[in-house]
Amino acid sequence: MIEPLSWGRIWTAWTIDVPAVVFVVVLGAGYLLAARRVPAWPRGRTTAFLAGLATVLVLTCSFLGVYDDTLFWVRATQTVVLLMVTPLLLALGAPLSLVLAVAPFADKLRRIGRGRAARALTFPLVITVLLIVPPLVLYLTPLYELTLRHAAIDEVVRLALICCGFGYFWTRLRLDPTPREDHHLVSFGISFAEVLVDAALGLILWLGPLRAAGYYEALGRTWGPDLHTDQIIGAGILWIGGDLAGLPFVGALFTRWMRDDERQAEQVDRELDAIEEQPDEQGGALWWESDPVLAERFKRGRA
């Protein structure tokens, strides 16, 4: 029987998840080596990417990794972070731009990224499914108990959560090149759908039957919250924690939207200024008389 979780164990309980450690070391080393080859690569991006990898280690090697097969709420915490926090930090590191900057086959990658298949896979509806479906499949099917009983399946599910989350943040943040340029309102719509699904899943787990009840009962745990309370805590983490984890992204998305609007307004102002400088060259003609759309309307008005 595993030792009861206490405040002391939060700081002293550690384990080594070999697949997770290999994943972090390989990606981290590859990113750092590539960043060294790119002059003036932003340190902020490197910090964000490494922070994303650090969350993987914390989730799998700290007390969260020790107790993820024992407490429902611990695994719920892992799910939220792997889907909403880790991918956001990885996407802020702009890893695809880094790959395109150093890879010898970058031109081929760009062609693939502009192809029909890439555009179809990054269609907003597809991205919405990638974000909201994984938690539903995990907790409302036998897959959840399989992750508890089989380490290999557990590792695959964790990787799938990171990939699905990265696909969402990559296409919404657009720090890396993307096959599509959707309006920012699309991103807000997807985020709203994710909030609704989080609420629905939280209510189902809160009011519904126990998940993997046979597995947890066989553990014979005599400390901590009872099985029902444990699942209620986990439901709250998936519901409220998922929404809170998405708030920084929504804020960043709104800021980016405002900046894009400001840049477009400045561009329009520059174009209008350039047009207003044309009357002297056209013998005093007004600027709208040279506009292909307004010129005809102006002539009809004078007639």
Side-chain angles (χ1 to χ4, degrees):
M1 173 64 65
I2 190 171
E3 185 176 342
L5 178 61
S6 62
W7 287 109
R9 289 284 291 170
I10 289 178
W11 306 106
T12 60
W14 292 90
T15 185
I16 297 180
D17 188 309
V18 176
V21 172
V22 172
F23 173 82
V24 168
V25 170
V26 170
L27 286 188
Y31 189 96
L32 290 175
L33 289 175
R36 290 183 61 183
R37 296 177 55 187
V38 178
W41 180 256
R43 292 185 178 181
R45 292 185 176 182
T46 301
T47 301
F49 191 85
L50 295 181
L53 295 179
T55 62
V56 176
L57 290 180
V58 172
L59 291 174
T60 57
C61 297
S62 71
F63 81 96
L64 295 172
V66 175
Y67 289 91
D68 63 354
D69 292 339
T70 307
L71 293 167
F72 186 95
W73 70 264
V74 169
R75 190 165 285 263
T77 302
Q78 291 178 332
T79 300
V80 170
V81 176
L82 289 175
L83 185 63
M84 298 297 296
V85 179
T86 302
L88 173 59
L89 293 171
L90 296 180
L92 288 173
L96 299 184
S97 295
L98 189 58
V99 170
L100 292 175
V102 300
F105 47 88
D107 291 339
K108 183 176 181 180
L109 292 177
R110 290 189 179 93
R111 287 195 298 271
I112 295 174
R114 292 191 294 263
R116 292 183 178 180
R119 289 181 57 82
L121 291 175
T122 55
F123 187 72
L125 181 59
V126 176
I127 297 300
T128 304
V129 170
L130 287 178
L131 182 66
I132 68 176
V133 168
L136 297 177
V137 173
L138 177 60
Y139 286 99
L140 302 183
T141 71
L143 179 60
Y144 179 71
E145 186 166 352
L146 290 175
T147 61
L148 294 170
R149 297 184 181 277
H150 304 283
I153 296 178
D154 189 22
E155 299 293 347
V156 171
V157 169
R158 289 173 179 173
L159 180 61
L161 290 173
I162 295 175
C163 291
C164 289
F166 181 82
Y168 170 67
F169 290 112
W170 160 49
T171 57
R172 300 305 100 196
L173 287 173
R174 297 206 290 264
L175 295 180
D176 283 320
T178 57
R180 307 178 60 90
E181 293 290 337
D182 300 310
H183 194 275
H184 291 296
L185 283 176
V186 175
S187 301
F188 283 106
I190 298 175
S191 298
F192 181 71
E194 189 266 337
V195 169
L196 294 180
V197 172
D198 284 346
L201 179 60
L203 287 174
I204 292 173
L205 294 176
W206 180 18
L207 303 175
L210 293 176
R211 308 304 303 168
Y215 172 86
Y216 285 118
E217 290 173 355
L219 290 179
R221 177 170 57 83
T222 57
W223 50 268
D226 61 75
L227 297 184
H228 186 65
T229 303
D230 186 21
Q231 183 162 307
I232 290 177
I233 296 173
I237 291 173
L238 290 167
W239 182 355
I240 301 174
D243 294 341
L244 292 177
L247 285 180
F249 167 70
V250 173
L253 187 64
F254 184 79
T255 301
R256 184 179 179 86
W257 187 4
M258 294 299 99
R259 290 177 179 175
D260 287 346
D261 286 346
E262 291 176 358
R263 283 194 293 267
Q264 291 177 1
E266 292 174 357
Q267 181 178 357
V268 171
D269 289 341
R270 287 194 298 269
E271 293 176 354
L272 291 177
D273 291 341
I275 293 175
E276 288 178 354
E277 294 175 358
Q278 296 178 3
D280 293 337
E281 302 175 1
Q282 298 176 359
L286 298 173
W287 68 268
W288 58 77
E289 295 185 55
S290 61
D291 185 273
V293 177
L294 298 179
E296 184 65 27
R297 186 181 302 175
F298 175 77
K299 290 178 181 179
R300 288 201 302 266
R302 293 176 55 180

